[in-house]
Amino acid sequence: MGYNYQFVPVGEQSLNIVFDEVIDARENRLIHSLADVLIKTELGIIAVIPAYHTLTINFDIFQTDFLKLTTKITQIIKNHSLLTSAERRRIIEVPVCYDEEFGLDLKAVIEHGCITFDELIQMHTSSPYLIYMMGFMPGFAYMGSVADPIAMPRLKNPRAKVPAGSVAVAGKQTGMYPIEAPGGWRLLGRTPVRLYDPKHPEPQYYAGEYIKFKAISKTDYYYIQKLAAAGMYELKELN
């Protein structure tokens, strides 16, 4: 199966590879696979930034130019053998407390989907979510895709403050707020894990990997929160 894409210049030393504008796991895996291949080549590429349906490439203008680079990239995309077909199947488990104290939009999402509280939890925790891209704030992972009944559109008027650790949905996307910030996603619960530490800014998860949520009680929430604050809790890998 071929891929539809085009090259768009972005200034003197950057370009975008723009694929079909869809939220599609197969297309996104191609983008991450291509990013992995390109950053290891000697084509004068300085950095790659994968997103939902685009790949931004920064390059050294003293080593290459737009025409030379796009010609090489076209050859790589056509030669599928250079692209790994294996997914990054690293799955990271994130504990979440689905309680009304933390999930301010639980009732609204339940009414939207015509489902029960237990069904909402089951739908949100049953399968791993692909991290399509990182952005918006440090450590914020855009993930998908959530089940249709809980795919409620974001708020028309965003909240001025969303607490750190909040777990939310916005349409077919789900995500976690690593720090307190404004936001309009629908809040379902909260994780006690510290998702971002400015003293150790290296993320605990990356685009192309997977997150799987695990429902926990309020008692477990506060217990894990104490462990995390003391540096005694690490996110678990499922495989």
Side-chain angles (χ1 to χ4, degrees), residues 23 52 102-106 109 124 133 135-137 140-144 146 152-159 161-163 166-177 181-189 213:
I23 300 179
Y52 268 111
F102 307 135
L104 302 183
D105 298 305
L106 276 172
V109 176
H124 196 246
M133 63 175 284
F136 176 44
M137 65 181 73
F140 191 96
Y142 288 85
M143 300 177 282
V146 304
M152 190 173 185
R154 66 186 68 199
L155 295 167
K156 291 182 179 179
N157 298 308
R159 295 182 172 91
K161 291 183 179 180
V162 175
S166 294
V167 176
V169 295
K172 296 292 286 183
Q173 304 173 103
T174 188
M176 308 174 288
Y177 285 77
W185 290 35
R186 302 283 180 167
L187 306 184
L188 301 183
F213 296 115

Side-chain angles (χ1 to χ4, degrees), residues 19-33:
F19 291 84
D20 288 337
E21 190 173 351
V22 293
I23 300 179
D24 179 76
R26 181 177 176 275
E27 179 180 272
N28 191 254
R29 285 195 291 268
L30 167 72
I31 290 170
H32 287 287
S33 179

Side-chain angles (χ1 to χ4, degrees), residues 5 27 31 45 110 137 159 174 184 190 200 214:
Y5 63 92
E27 179 180 272
I31 290 170
I45 294 173
I110 287 170
M137 65 181 73
R159 295 182 172 91
T174 188
R190 195 178 301 170
H200 305 283
K214 177 184 179 181

Side-chain angles (χ1 to χ4, degrees), residues 197-219:
D197 182 353
K199 296 180 180 179
H200 305 283
E202 190 72 16
Q204 302 177 67
Y205 38 80
Y206 296 87
E209 298 179 338
Y210 290 80
I211 295 290
K212 191 174 190 299
F213 296 115
K214 177 184 179 181
I216 60 172
S217 67
K218 215 168 184 180
T219 300

Side-chain angles (χ1 to χ4, degrees), residues 3-9 15-20 55 66 70:
Y3 303 96
N4 298 317
Y5 63 92
Q6 60 179 328
F7 296 106
V8 179
L15 64 87
N16 275 342
I17 309 176
V18 182
F19 291 84
D20 288 337
L55 178 61
F66 182 86
T70 54

Side-chain angles (χ1 to χ4, degrees), residues 9-15 59-61 64-66:
V10 185
E12 293 183 350
Q13 54 188 25
S14 295
L15 64 87
F59 56 89
D60 185 346
I61 58 174
T64 188
D65 58 35
F66 182 86

